[in-house]
Amino acid sequence: MTTSDAVTAAGSAASAAWCDRCGEAVAVGSHDGCAAARVLEPPRFCAHCRRRMKVQVLPVGWAAVCVEHGEIRG
């Protein structure tokens, strides 16, 4: 996945079907707590396929990898 693909994937997360923090459907319930927590935490679930991602927290940010959709950095 290229850098532009990662930016596109991160930008399309808002229109995704799954919450990238709790893994539940975005359309069900309020995810205000998840949005507040995501300011400080990396995503834990892929917003496109709901799979648990491998997350690595680095001193300068984080990297999350979905086996299906690739890597997202923040």
Side-chain angles (χ1 to χ4, degrees), residues 14-42:
S15 64
W18 306 104
C19 176
D20 63 358
R21 181 172 181 264
C22 68
E24 297 299 322
V26 173
V28 177
S30 173
H31 291 275
D32 295 336
C34 293
R38 280 284 289 117
V39 172
L40 300 173
E41 297 177 6

Side-chain angles (χ1 to χ4, degrees), residues 36-74:
R38 280 284 289 117
V39 172
L40 300 173
E41 297 177 6
R44 301 295 176 180
F45 292 89
C46 179
H48 302 288
C49 66
R50 196 182 187 188
R51 290 183 181 171
R52 186 96 165 136
M53 294 194 292
K54 179 180 81 173
V55 178
Q56 182 177 15
V57 178
L58 308 166
V60 295
W62 52 263
V65 179
C66 171
V67 296
E68 184 70 24
H69 296 102
E71 183 178 68
I72 301 172
R73 291 185 173 265

Side-chain angles (χ1 to χ4, degrees), residues 1-10 64 69-73:
M1 177 177 271
T2 65
T3 304
S4 62
D5 291 338
V7 170
T8 302
H69 296 102
E71 183 178 68
I72 301 172
R73 291 185 173 265

